[in-house]
Amino acid sequence: MSPAFTIICIVLAIALLVLLTVKVKLHPFFALTFSALFFGMIIGKSLPEVVASFADGLGGTIAGIGIVIAIGTVMGALLEKSGAAETMAETILKITGKKHAALGLAVTGYFVSIPVFCDSAFVLLSPLAKRMARDTKVSMTTMAVALGMGLHATHMLVPPTPGPLSVAGILDADLGLVILLGMLVSIPVVAIALFAGKILGNKYYYEIEDIPTFDEGDTSEQKRPGALGAFLPILLPILLMLLNTIASLNSAPFGTDTFLANFFEAVGQPSTALLIGLVCAFVTYRKIYPDDNKVWTFDGEFGEALKTAGQIVLIVGAGGGFATVLKLSNLSEIVTAAFSNVSLGIIVPFIIGAIFRTCIGSGTVGMITAASMLLPLMDVLGFASPIGRVIAMLACASGGFMVFHGNDDFFWVITSTSNMKPEVAYKVFPLISVLQAFTSLACVFVLQLIFL
């Protein structure tokens, strides 16, 4: 299979996906499925092989994020119904003011995504974003961008997220410096997303209409949860996941195979931590609605939320299946051959990361591939020093930002949980991811000028 033919096939598959979702308005699950099958067939793979690959990707994605989405969706429904989301929104608005509500969400995303996977975090925080959008009359597009791309920034640049952590390990970069400079670079990366999100939010304005509100005569408004009861279901899982991350560090601050380390490992897994948060949300809900004995039934809040969660899980799983089918091509060999003898400093890892992120949908795969190819060239490119290795790592991560679109499961997590139309998402997130990528690259270039 020639390189040109492979690239043409990838472009055609992505174009078909965009056409089906934007123009035909086909349900994203089927659009992703048909696009994956189309790609597999035109590159010469047998139908059973393509179907098997798609099923593996779908199953693997659902196994990783499905339970998180299910638990998070139920918890979000309880927080909305009890008025906890309203309490959280009012608390944040008191701090930021209505004019800067989106900034509050972006800053929240910036910090939360350091210890927590961005998929889990967005599901967890999306009810808050919806409530704040309604209360401030700010476009939900702006709120989704502020939260989603705030999470995206530190997810790509700051360990212990697997992508930057793996790249730091491959390049033998000092982890402390990577975290410090990664957090520094993430600030303008979040800022550019917030700025663009406000502009695009006005252009693609929409409101959330399915948020429950209190009737004027409803005395439950007086029993709305306090700030602690409202925030605890979100903050406690984040804290548990953070403690698990700390416990798993090489320095083993809680010891090795100790009760404390094993405890944090058990309760700090995303699904376990979110389940604990769900229990907290349920307790809060019961304080507001003590007589609702149907809440956990098929026809109650649990059942209604899981109907929504099921559709989201299938869409996200299909995104993972599409990305897996794309990997059946010889893209990896093509990129390796094209850049193996090129020496352009930080541009090479940036381009490699960008190609893999755009074509395969995984920023982690993109930056790890870029780092693996860059490793033999570290001395030649002048990245052999400790600070040079950190700069090289950030260059790999910068390329991994773009282009963020429908072959990434996080794209569908944001789109589905934000009630955003796919055609709007395609006009917003790819553009902002490119802005984030080049902003990150510019910051890395400045660091290179200063330190190398």
Side-chain angles (χ1 to χ4, degrees):
M1 189 186 308
S2 69
F5 180 72
T6 299
I7 293 171
I8 290 172
C9 289
I10 292 175
V11 171
L12 288 175
I14 293 175
L16 177 62
L17 175 61
V18 174
L19 175 67
L20 292 176
T21 52
V22 176
K23 295 295 184 182
V24 181
K25 299 188 185 302
L26 183 65
H27 190 284
F29 174 80
F30 292 105
L32 287 160
T33 302
F34 290 144
S35 299
L37 295 178
F38 170 75
F39 177 78
M41 297 295 290
I42 62 175
I43 64 172
K45 303 296 181 180
S46 67
L47 184 59
E49 184 180 2
V50 177
V51 171
S53 178
F54 181 81
D56 287 343
L58 184 146
T61 302
I62 291 178
I65 192 64
I67 189 171
V68 170
I69 291 175
I71 295 172
T73 304
V74 174
M75 184 169 68
L78 294 178
L79 292 175
E80 289 177 358
K81 183 69 174 179
S82 67
E86 194 162 309
T87 297
M88 287 187 285
E90 288 180 355
T91 303
I92 291 178
L93 288 176
K94 286 179 182 177
I95 298 173
T96 63
K98 287 192 174 184
K99 288 182 62 178
H100 305 294
L103 174 61
L105 273 180
V107 172
T108 300
Y110 171 94
F111 285 106
V112 168
S113 193
I114 295 174
V116 182
F117 278 102
C118 54
D119 308 67
S120 307
F122 195 91
V123 172
L124 197 64
L125 296 169
S126 59
L128 178 60
K130 291 178 180 179
R131 176 66 65 178
M132 292 177 68
R134 194 206 68 173
D135 291 350
T136 61
K137 302 302 181 184
V138 172
S139 171
M140 186 59 202
T141 300
T142 298
M143 293 302 193
V145 168
L147 178 58
M149 303 316 270
L151 291 165
H152 192 227
T154 46
H155 175 82
M156 296 298 298
L157 289 165
V158 184
T161 306
L165 185 63
S166 300
V167 173
I170 292 171
L171 300 180
D172 194 26
D174 181 90
L175 198 57
L177 280 175
V178 169
I179 293 174
L180 178 63
L181 292 181
M183 291 185 71
L184 184 65
V185 172
S186 296
I187 293 173
V189 171
V190 171
I192 192 66
L194 184 61
F195 175 76
K198 289 181 178 179
I199 296 174
L200 293 173
N202 292 330
K203 185 174 182 180
Y204 304 110
Y205 184 92
Y206 77 100
E207 297 179 352
I208 296 293
E209 300 176 353
D210 60 347
I211 297 178
T213 56
F214 293 104
D215 295 332
E216 291 182 6
D218 193 347
T219 57
S220 62
E221 183 176 6
Q222 300 172 5
K223 299 186 295 180
R224 191 188 306 169
L228 178 62
F231 280 102
L232 188 63
I234 290 179
L235 295 181
L236 183 57
I238 291 171
L239 176 62
L240 292 175
M241 286 186 270
L242 175 60
L243 289 171
N244 177 42
T245 298
I246 295 172
S248 63
L249 294 175
N250 291 334
S251 58
F254 300 117
T256 303
D257 201 27
T258 63
F259 170 79
L260 204 57
N262 292 334
F263 175 76
F264 286 140
E265 182 182 7
V267 300
Q269 301 299 319
S271 55
T272 309
L274 283 173
L275 193 58
I276 293 171
L278 174 60
V279 172
C280 294
F282 177 74
V283 171
T284 298
Y285 179 88
R286 290 291 285 176
K287 288 180 179 178
I288 305 301
Y289 297 103
D291 298 325
D292 185 359
N293 295 321
K294 293 184 177 181
V295 60
W296 53 75
T297 66
F298 185 85
D299 296 322
E301 293 299 325
F302 278 43
E304 290 301 315
L306 287 176
K307 292 176 186 177
T308 301
Q311 187 165 205
I312 296 173
V313 167
L314 283 175
I315 294 172
V316 172
F322 180 46
T324 303
V325 172
L326 290 176
K327 294 175 186 177
L328 291 175
S329 68
N330 58 337
L331 178 66
S332 179
E333 292 84 355
I334 293 172
V335 175
T336 301
F339 291 99
S340 58
N341 297 315
V342 178
S343 298
L344 295 174
I346 62 174
I347 300 299
V348 171
F350 175 82
I351 293 175
I352 294 171
I355 290 174
F356 275 91
R357 175 61 186 272
T358 303
C359 295
I360 295 178
S362 172
T364 299
V365 171
M367 68 172 78
I368 289 176
T369 304
S372 300
M373 294 177 61
L374 183 64
L375 185 59
L377 305 173
M378 294 292 284
D379 291 338
V380 176
L381 298 177
F383 295 135
S385 65
I387 189 66
R389 293 180 179 276
V390 174
I391 290 172
M393 175 269 154
L394 294 174
C396 295
S398 298
F401 271 102
M402 70 176 195
V403 173
F404 177 54
H405 64 100
N407 60 357
D408 190 316
D409 56 335
F410 185 44
F411 178 91
W412 296 107
V413 169
I414 296 176
T415 304
S416 301
T417 55
S418 300
N419 298 50
M420 184 182 292
K421 294 180 179 179
E423 55 264 35
V424 173
Y426 272 113
K427 295 173 183 177
V428 171
F429 290 112
L431 173 60
I432 292 181
S433 69
V434 171
L435 292 175
Q436 285 190 310
F438 282 105
T439 299
S440 181
L441 179 65
C443 293
V444 175
F445 181 70
V446 171
L447 291 175
Q448 184 181 28
L449 292 178
I450 295 172
F451 293 110
L452 293 181

